[in-house]
Amino acid sequence: MFTEIPGLLVVTWALLGLAIYAGYRQNWQLRSVAADGGYLSGLGFESEKPTGLFRWLTTVDHKDIGVLYIVFATGAALWGGTDAMMIRTELFTAGTDVWSPDTYNALFTAHGFTMLFFFATPAFTGLANYFIPILVGADDMAFPRINAIAFWLLPPSLLLVRGGLVTEVLGKMLATVGVRWELLFSLKPPTTGWTLYTPHSALLANPQVDLVLLGLHLSGLATVMAAINIIVTIFTERGEQITWANLDIFSWTLLTTSGIILFAFPVLGSSLLMLVADRNFGTTFFAVEGGGPILWQHLFWFFGHPEVYILVLPAFGLVSLILPKFAGRKLFGFKFIVYSTLAIGVLSFGVWAHHMFATGMDPRLRASFMAVSLAIAIPSAVKTFNWMATLWGGNVRWAAPQIFCVGGIMTFIVGGVTGVFLASIPVDLVLHDTYYVVGHFHFIVMGVITFAAFAASYYWFPLLTGRMFNRRLGRIHGYLSIVGVFVTFMPLILIGYGGLPRRFASYPAAFEPLQQISSFGAVIIGVGVVIWLTNLVQSYRLGPIVTDADVWNLRESGQFSREWQWFETQLEERTKFRR
Amino acid sequence: MNRPLSAIAGGVTGIAVMSLLLLFLEVETRSNLAIFESVARFAGMPGNVTFGFILFVLAGVFAWPLAFMALERYIPGGPDPATRGMVLAVALWVVFVLTGRGGLSGGLLAIYVIFTLLAHLCYGFLLGAVYGRLTSEGPLEPERYDPSDVSQ
């Protein structure tokens, strides 16, 4: 019945009626101005920077670039999250009844690219940009202009990777004014999976695949530039009082991460270009009669597995940094956390073939990769136990950042232990390419990695904006996220034990209940994200102004660290104008 | 700026962003939702996407912002106009979902419901935020954050 009545008319008439009534009540007086109070940022202070859009387009200030990175990463995360919700919608029922199989393949491909290359990496690079110079006592990053270039390469690379959608949006916009430009509709979303395995990726006719390869190459260049900048800054720009002995844990992990990037990303870059050549110029790097498809897997995972640690080490750094602040104790075993970080950095290059146990490689080689893969659990466990020991006997305060840190440790333990099982060859041969793998790594990427990013977003929000967020909503978001991650990804582990292979739009009906629980969990995570976004946006506009730099009561436990001391001097300068 | 113009400016910003979001949703879902068909149905022009969309934009730029201006003080969620805008947008969304959903069902309907709500919230937020920013006399003395207050 409702579909018969034009909703627009109903709403317009209803609103018109109400508006007339309201105008009548207000005696038709149109006030020209309304006092609606405090919609300015807490950062109302004088600055020599240009204002408005021009400031953001031309900036070489590490803090501004850091903010740009964070905003970009948030946008990418929301986009990748939309893909995720669409994936979970398809999997809600056993049949292929929501999207076509092709669309489903495109969704998990785009989800992987977007989240790994355009959300997680930029989010942590942004935090590094903002805080490392402050933490090491530098004026700015070592190469401010390269820093700006590194950021500005990211939007075009995202555009290349997801270009088909953008051109189609343009095409549809032109079509509404009567111009139909077929070229704009020729790029279909790629269906390669984020691993881009050959020969499939080499043979797909879709030209968008070439754009994806170039886009990923560009994002790799940006990442390498940022990494070099971080390394040089930490080595050469440290203040006089900062030595290797008292360098903070966040800088240590970012230093290690940047080292890994320096060795891993060039390999990705060269293999991508080789694949571009295979696709377009008739080379045979990955053709069966040439280097063979397995060569691609070796090259890809030589990058791909260190990439996992590129994503997770900054998250570990943030947990190590934030957790003690809300436990009222110093980080337990600081040195060993640093050593374990460095150990992970080195070992991360010796485990790549555990992604290829099922390819029929030499069993002796397989065994050595299994040994190293099991060994890398040791430094990871060192961190976990040190975090627990930090909490032990501490005065734990359950503020939003702490909920995310502890929740991140919980999810990391599940994600990590399931990973230890996968490292064992006989188990891997059974579980390879099942939902178990998907569950395992999502406990880490959605668990500890995203949780650490959320923890940092709350922990540093007062410093970034000069305002405080709604702490109750922050806590609700924290608990929702922990529940959401377990409800979403635990069923995937069970589905994997049931033997269901991943990356199919349809599946046997027996798995339907577990898949539905998982989709329900995804909605919980989504609700949390909406709460987070609303809270931070509204708090940025309206939140209570911070006047005392010690927002987290860190002085009483002697942890009023460098970035907060810097914030205190900033606040003092600003209040000079106010008073 | 005077209030009607501010409201219209808010409407322009809101509808521009919302149309773009809907367009992205349409392309991302490979036209399975037929969003602009539902916009046309919502506008009372089923089958005529162009006219339906024009009516939709006109309503979003003029009718609703002006109604918002007149009704602002009666909408819950104040004093922040952006929150009030989102409340108004939720009301608009309810009608949009009821009259525009067409033959969608199952998973597609769920995606349609969730993402059109998010698009409407963006519209309402921008409408209210821009309107508030353009009509404000300047910031009132904002609240100060007190770290020792444990009630939060």
Side-chain angles (χ1 to χ4, degrees):
Chain A
M1 164 217 159
F2 280 115
T3 46
E4 305 295 316
I5 311 165
L8 187 88
L9 273 184
V10 177
V11 178
T12 317
W13 281 109
L15 283 180
L16 189 64
L18 285 171
I20 291 171
Y21 175 70
Y24 173 72
R25 286 278 299 268
Q26 292 166 34
N27 283 332
W28 301 105
Q29 285 168 351
L30 287 181
R31 287 162 299 144
S32 63
V33 279
D36 53 18
Y39 299 110
L40 291 175
S41 139
L43 295 174
F45 62 97
E46 288 185 13
S47 156
E48 74 272 23
K49 288 176 187 168
T51 51
L53 196 61
F54 197 63
R55 164 182 170 192
W56 296 102
L57 291 175
T58 59
T59 183
V60 290
D61 178 345
H62 69 100
K63 299 190 292 299
D64 287 354
I65 293 173
V67 171
L68 285 172
Y69 266 112
I70 293 167
V71 170
F72 174 83
T74 308
L78 294 175
W79 196 353
T82 306
D83 300 327
M85 297 311 281
M86 288 169 66
I87 292 172
R88 288 313 323 168
T89 311
E90 175 58 62
L91 295 173
F92 194 77
T93 48
T96 315
D97 43 13
V98 182
W99 322 115
S100 69
D102 249 7
T103 303
Y104 180 80
N105 296 347
L107 281 172
F108 68 68
T109 304
H111 175 69
F113 286 146
T114 311
M115 289 306 201
L116 295 175
F117 292 95
F118 300 105
F119 155 58
T121 315
F124 294 130
T125 312
L127 291 173
N129 255 297
Y130 201 105
F131 289 104
I132 283 185
I134 296 171
L135 289 170
V136 304
D139 296 335
D140 202 317
M141 297 294 278
F143 309 113
R145 284 188 179 80
I146 288 183
N147 201 19
I149 294 171
F151 170 76
W152 285 108
L153 286 183
L154 281 180
S157 55
L158 177 62
L159 221 58
L160 281 171
V161 170
R162 306 212 60 175
L165 291 187
V166 181
T167 52
E168 205 172 313
V169 165
L170 279 178
K172 292 213 168 188
M173 281 162 91
L174 285 179
T176 54
V177 290
V179 186
R180 199 171 160 82
W181 192 3
E182 285 306 326
L183 185 68
L184 291 175
F185 294 92
S186 62
L187 300 173
K188 300 273 173 284
T191 51
T192 55
W194 87 280
T195 48
L196 291 159
Y197 273 6
T198 52
H200 183 57
S201 60
L203 297 176
L204 273 178
N206 182 4
Q208 171 70 29
V209 176
D210 294 307
L211 294 186
V212 167
L213 298 175
L214 295 173
L216 291 180
H217 189 53
L218 200 60
S219 96
L221 291 179
T223 311
V224 170
M225 283 187 207
I228 292 174
N229 220 340
I230 290 170
I231 294 173
V232 178
T233 305
I234 294 178
F235 267 88
T236 64
E237 302 281 312
R238 288 198 314 271
E240 280 172 12
Q241 71 281 27
I242 312 289
T243 63
W244 290 112
N246 66 3
L247 188 66
D248 66 286
I249 193 71
F250 184 63
S251 303
W252 268 116
T253 45
L254 257 297
L255 182 65
T256 316
T257 308
S258 304
I260 305 178
I261 288 174
L262 215 52
F263 289 104
F265 265 88
V267 178
L268 174 75
S270 350
S271 2
L272 287 172
L273 290 183
M274 283 149 79
L275 187 52
V276 170
D278 264 16
R279 284 177 55 81
N280 297 286
F281 308 118
T283 54
T284 56
F285 291 113
F286 306 118
V288 178
E289 61 275 21
I294 293 293
L295 176 63
W296 170 264
Q297 293 197 21
H298 277 297
L299 289 175
F300 181 83
W301 287 115
F302 186 83
F303 148 78
H305 202 86
E307 163 73 1
V308 175
Y309 293 99
I310 291 167
L311 300 176
V312 84
L313 281 183
F316 288 167
L318 287 169
V319 173
S320 303
L321 183 84
I322 298 171
L323 189 86
K325 307 275 163 96
F326 296 90
R329 293 188 61 200
K330 274 193 185 155
L331 182 62
F332 183 86
F334 184 100
K335 264 191 202 169
F336 288 91
I337 297 219
V338 174
Y339 292 148
S340 67
T341 305
L342 296 172
I344 288 178
V346 174
L347 288 176
S348 69
F349 284 96
V351 297
W352 82 86
H354 70 211
H355 295 270
M356 301 160 61
F357 281 163
T359 56
M361 57 196 284
D362 189 321
R364 289 162 297 181
L365 205 54
R366 227 167 38 178
S368 53
F369 276 103
M370 168 173 148
V372 185
S373 302
L374 291 172
I376 207 165
I378 296 167
S380 312
V382 166
K383 286 178 190 300
T384 312
F385 284 113
N386 276 336
W387 291 329
M388 288 193 231
T390 306
L391 292 171
W392 194 274
N395 173 25
V396 181
R397 290 178 293 153
W398 295 107
Q402 182 74 340
I403 294 169
F404 274 107
C405 284
V406 174
I409 297 172
M410 284 158 60
T411 53
F412 174 60
I413 291 172
V414 179
V417 170
T418 49
V420 175
F421 288 124
L422 281 175
S424 151
I425 297 165
V427 179
D428 182 80
L429 289 179
V430 175
L431 295 175
H432 180 80
D433 227 358
T434 66
Y435 271 81
Y436 184 91
V437 180
V438 182
H440 148 68
F441 72 75
H442 274 92
F443 263 106
I444 296 178
V445 286
M446 181 63 223
V448 67
I449 293 177
T450 312
F451 278 17
F454 279 137
S457 76
Y458 285 121
Y459 175 62
W460 279 322
F461 185 83
L463 192 155
L464 289 165
T465 63
R467 288 178 184 271
M468 193 59 191
F469 57 87
N470 183 318
R471 297 183 62 180
R472 179 174 296 137
L473 282 180
R475 287 196 297 272
I476 291 173
H477 171 215
Y479 293 125
L480 274 180
S481 301
I482 294 172
V483 172
V485 165
F486 276 94
V487 175
T488 311
F489 301 116
M490 205 46 115
L492 296 192
I493 302 259
L494 299 177
I495 292 170
Y497 278 133
L500 183 67
R502 59 195 278 213
R503 292 184 168 170
F504 284 93
S506 59
Y507 54 87
F511 292 104
E512 215 168 42
L514 282 172
Q515 291 276 23
Q516 292 184 347
I517 294 173
S518 175
S519 294
F520 175 66
V523 174
I524 300 179
I525 297 176
V527 169
V529 170
V530 172
I531 291 176
W532 170 78
L533 193 64
T534 318
N535 187 4
L536 294 202
V537 169
Q538 287 295 66
S539 301
Y540 171 65
R541 299 172 62 238
L542 306 167
I545 297 258
V546 172
T547 47
D548 176 1
D550 193 13
V551 270
W552 297 116
N553 286 322
L554 298 176
R555 262 192 245 273
E556 63 185 23
S557 59
Q559 303 197 69
F560 194 66
S561 47
R562 287 189 202 103
E563 80 272 30
W564 296 105
Q565 292 164 19
W566 170 85
F567 183 47
E568 189 167 44
T569 58
Q570 294 284 306
L571 278 183
E572 273 165 16
E573 279 176 30
R574 278 175 221 168
T575 41
K576 269 184 215 152
F577 294 108
R578 285 227 179 87
R579 279 172 192 156
Chain B
M1 206 193 265
N2 74 36
R3 280 157 44 94
L5 273 184
S6 306
I8 290 170
V12 170
T13 321
I15 209 79
V17 171
M18 186 186 184
S19 307
L20 208 60
L21 284 178
L22 291 180
L23 194 55
F24 259 93
L25 183 63
E26 175 76 354
V27 172
E28 172 123 7
T29 56
R30 314 310 297 154
S31 303
N32 274 314
L33 294 185
I35 281 279
F36 291 91
E37 299 288 327
S38 29
V39 166
R41 274 194 295 275
F42 172 60
M45 293 265 173
N48 194 339
V49 175
T50 313
F51 258 107
F53 184 66
I54 289 172
L55 274 183
F56 174 76
V57 168
L58 288 179
V61 170
F62 296 106
W64 301 334
L66 292 175
F68 173 72
M69 178 192 80
L71 293 169
E72 193 204 340
R73 62 161 70 172
Y74 304 103
I75 300 177
D80 174 28
T83 315
R84 285 176 158 158
M86 289 199 277
V87 173
L88 177 79
V90 170
L92 298 173
W93 165 77
V94 170
V95 185
F96 183 86
V97 164
L98 288 179
T99 62
R101 71 184 188 283
L104 295 180
S105 63
L108 281 179
L109 183 64
I111 288 280
Y112 171 82
V113 166
I114 293 172
F115 285 96
T116 53
L117 173 62
L118 295 178
H120 274 83
L121 287 176
C122 281
Y123 170 78
F125 175 83
L126 288 170
L127 165 64
V130 171
Y131 172 76
R133 186 67 175 257
L134 293 178
T135 53
S136 82
E137 279 177 324
L140 293 179
E141 189 62 13
E143 201 187 329
R144 298 288 162 105
Y145 177 66
D146 176 11
S148 59
D149 175 15
V150 289
S151 68
Q152 266 220 60

